Amino acid sequence: MNYSVFTGHYFTDWILILTTLVSLVISRIHRAHKQLFFIQIYIAASLFIDILSTLTELLFKDNRLFQAINCISLNMYSILEITLLYMFIRRVINGKNIRLIMKMLCGIYIFLCITIWLLFPKAIISNIHPLFALEGILITAICLLYFYEIIHTGFSNDIRENSYFIAISGILFYFSISVPYYFGSYRLLAVSPEFFIVFDCVNYCLYTILFLTFIKAHLCPIPVQK
């Protein structure tokens, strides 16, 4: 077994798993937040991927085998991720044109992933950082479309009690930061393999902040149905 998994990322991965687990428990307790349904699925899927990645790294000494399993799961997860976040944000968007643009952005990423995997089968067992950066760009754009609409239409709720606003702000924070990070790290990873550890640690910390915003969103009052 590869016992370095317990300390290899300075416990940032374990902090992320713990935060995700807490957010899952809270999402189940506050499952009456129907507007956060897709976020609840996202939390469960993220926890599954985190545990799968940790177990494969622990059980397989062959680093190539671990990398292959990890890359396949992350590549498939990226499609699920953008789909769930799109469906979550779409529920609060009223403008038909904005909904159409969001649908197109999500569809572009899914189509591009499938095309790359069909043309280059080995790509599915590789970490393609520019592709993940593109996912971040598209999700950031979807979030900005939400803020564009509320700026023009306004909303009466206190933002501190608006679960949509809090959750989408967390999504925008993570993915807007991850875009330049993925692009910049792509070159550094090729130069220094040790940078993988730094890259993962920072990414785990940013994801932890994202799930903290999901916890906050679930603790908001349930909006009154009119």
Side-chain angles (χ1 to χ4, degrees):
M1 291 188 178
N2 180 20
Y3 293 106
S4 64
V5 67
F6 294 107
T7 58
H9 298 99
Y10 303 100
F11 301 103
T12 54
D13 49 346
W14 294 103
I15 293 173
L16 172 59
I17 290 176
L18 178 60
T19 306
T20 309
L21 179 60
V22 171
S23 65
L24 178 63
V25 172
I26 291 178
S27 71
R28 291 299 301 164
I29 295 174
H30 298 272
R31 57 184 176 275
H33 278 278
K34 301 299 183 182
Q35 74 276 18
L36 297 175
F37 172 72
F38 289 111
I39 293 298
Q40 293 166 4
I41 297 177
Y42 178 78
I43 292 171
S46 298
L47 183 61
F48 174 79
I49 291 297
D50 289 341
I51 294 176
L52 176 64
S53 176
T54 301
L55 287 177
T56 53
E57 187 175 4
L58 174 65
L59 297 176
F60 297 108
K61 291 183 178 181
D62 187 345
N63 189 55
R64 291 175 298 179
L65 181 58
F66 156 69
Q67 290 294 337
I69 296 175
N70 193 46
C71 289
I72 292 173
S73 61
L74 288 177
N75 282 318
M76 300 304 295
Y77 172 74
S78 69
I79 288 184
L80 179 63
E81 182 174 53
I82 192 173
T83 302
L84 289 175
L85 296 181
Y86 153 71
M87 294 177 72
F88 166 65
I89 300 174
R90 180 184 179 276
R91 296 181 68 173
V92 75
I93 298 296
N94 295 316
K96 291 184 178 179
N97 291 335
I98 295 180
R99 283 191 171 192
L100 178 60
I101 294 173
M102 291 169 57
K103 186 176 182 179
M104 290 174 60
L105 293 176
C106 182
I108 286 172
Y109 184 74
I110 296 175
F111 174 78
L112 185 60
C113 286
I114 294 175
T115 301
I116 291 175
W117 296 338
L118 290 176
L119 295 178
F120 309 99
K122 289 186 178 180
I124 199 169
I125 57 174
S126 304
N127 271 328
I128 308 177
H129 286 88
L131 189 61
F132 294 153
L134 175 61
E135 179 197 5
I137 292 174
L138 297 178
I139 293 177
T140 298
I142 290 173
C143 291
L144 291 176
L145 288 171
Y146 160 79
F147 285 103
Y148 171 83
E149 180 168 277
I150 65 173
I151 288 174
H152 283 75
T153 61
F155 56 95
S156 58
N157 294 339
D158 186 341
I159 60 174
R160 292 172 297 180
E161 298 181 352
N162 189 311
S163 57
Y164 271 116
F165 184 87
I166 292 172
I168 297 174
S169 295
I171 295 168
L172 177 61
F173 170 79
Y174 171 77
F175 285 98
S176 61
I177 292 179
S178 70
V179 170
Y181 190 60
Y182 269 114
F183 275 125
S185 64
Y186 181 67
R187 295 178 180 272
L188 292 174
L189 289 173
V191 174
S192 175
E194 289 77 14
F195 189 76
F196 268 113
I197 298 176
V198 177
F199 174 85
D200 286 340
C201 288
V202 174
N203 195 45
Y204 291 146
C205 291
L206 293 176
Y207 254 123
T208 298
I209 295 174
L210 173 61
F211 285 98
L212 287 174
T213 64
F214 290 160
I215 291 175
K216 172 61 178 175
H218 279 91
L219 296 177
C220 290
I222 300 175
V224 178
Q225 298 293 331
K226 298 182 179 179

